[in-house]
Amino acid sequence: MVNRRASDRAEMRDEWAAKVAALAEPSRVERSGKAPITVARIMDAAFGLVETEGFEALTMRRVAAALQTGPASLYAHVRNKAELDELLISDLCARVPVPEPDPAQWAEQMLAICRALRDEYLRYPGISRAALAAAPNSLDALRLSEGMLTILLAAGVPPQSAAWAIDAAFLYVSAYCFEVSLRHDPGSGVDQRVLDRDALVERYRMLPGDTFPSTVAHIRELTSGEGHERFEFTLTALLGGLSPGPRRTPSATDA
């Protein structure tokens, strides 16, 4: 009986010691103020850095500094910068809605997807550069491609034309956004595109009319375009080159 009581006291003492030790643990976390490193936190820090400073500023070291840790802490969750880029592009693609195919509205549906992706890219200046360099191994990017392909096929666009049109659309959206980012200056508040256009107009006006008659005669047209007018024009022209028609039902001979 005595031994059992002693054993019970020892067990109670150990439990009490564990409770006392647990009291110190929250205080250490609170003093450090550091939340655990996760892929989500890494991506949030990366997006914040690109949004304020541009894609050129994004490095694993800068992300680690934003999270108040060392770069080695990130590699347990993200293998390298290339994987981080892929995760960011995948997240942006996941934000883009894909509508149910409507053959009567196929062109507008395609444009809506491209516009939404453009707007996501432009929130983070230069990030579309990662999309240009990335291999098509993101399921979220493939979800967009699948949705666009389904829209075009439902409208009767031949599969080969649909496939190449989707590739061209993705390429143009990424290149357009990257070009815009080259003129992005977060600190100045000045639209560099307006300054570039004014400089271009001035250079065109200096050209000799007998050597460049068409250019001098159409300076306004060559330098026109507000907002995303050129974006809309290019994609509308691209989609206008497709030839939708009645969708062909696959036959046994296609197998």
Side-chain angles (χ1 to χ4, degrees):
M1 180 67 67
V2 174
N3 290 338
R4 183 173 181 180
R5 289 179 179 176
S7 175
D8 290 344
R9 286 196 300 270
E11 184 176 348
M12 292 176 61
R13 185 172 60 250
D14 291 340
E15 291 177 357
W16 181 254
K19 291 179 180 180
V20 172
L23 291 175
E25 194 64 29
S27 64
R28 285 201 297 269
V29 173
E30 184 177 350
R31 283 197 300 271
S32 68
K34 292 184 179 180
I37 301 298
T38 63
V39 173
R41 289 193 65 220
I42 292 171
M43 291 174 63
D44 286 344
F47 275 132
L49 186 62
V50 177
E51 188 171 17
T52 56
E53 300 185 41
F55 184 69
E56 291 296 326
L58 180 62
T59 64
M60 298 294 277
R61 186 173 298 277
R62 291 293 306 277
V63 173
L67 294 173
Q68 298 182 333
T69 187
S73 300
L74 306 187
Y75 293 118
H77 306 277
V78 179
R79 290 194 303 271
N80 48 40
K81 172 65 161 47
E83 184 180 25
L84 177 58
D85 291 348
E86 181 181 319
L87 288 170
L88 298 180
I89 295 299
S90 181
D91 188 82
L92 296 183
C93 289
R95 303 177 190 181
V96 176
V98 176
E100 287 295 322
D102 180 357
Q105 300 291 328
W106 69 272
E108 182 56 37
Q109 289 185 324
M110 290 287 291
L111 284 170
I113 293 173
C114 291
R115 292 183 192 120
L117 185 59
R118 174 202 67 197
D119 292 344
E120 291 297 337
Y121 284 166
L122 291 181
R123 285 182 58 191
Y124 306 98
I127 202 166
S128 62
R129 177 180 176 183
L132 288 167
N137 56 358
S138 163
L139 291 179
D140 290 304
L142 288 175
R143 178 186 66 90
L144 294 186
S145 178
E146 168 71 15
M148 295 168 80
L149 181 59
T150 304
I151 289 170
L152 292 178
L153 293 178
V157 176
Q160 185 65 80
S161 298
W164 286 1
I166 292 167
D167 183 64
F170 275 127
L171 180 61
Y172 178 70
V173 172
S174 299
Y176 175 88
C177 295
F178 181 57
E179 183 188 29
V180 171
S181 74
L182 295 177
R183 298 176 174 86
H184 176 77
D185 185 355
S188 69
V190 176
D191 189 344
Q192 187 64 40
R193 287 177 294 177
V194 174
L195 298 180
D196 290 346
R197 182 170 58 191
D198 291 344
L200 185 59
V201 169
E202 183 178 1
R203 288 197 296 270
Y204 280 170
R205 286 176 176 167
M206 296 172 63
L207 294 172
D210 55 345
T211 306
F212 300 95
S214 297
T215 299
V216 171
H218 298 287
I219 292 175
R220 182 180 65 82
E221 290 82 1
L222 288 169
T223 59
S224 64
E226 300 295 333
H228 297 303
E229 286 182 341
R230 288 176 176 247
F231 180 89
E232 296 286 323
F233 171 83
T234 303
L235 285 177
T236 300
L238 170 65
L239 296 174
L242 301 177
S243 301
R247 185 176 182 182
R248 186 173 69 89
T249 304
S251 64
T253 59
D254 293 331

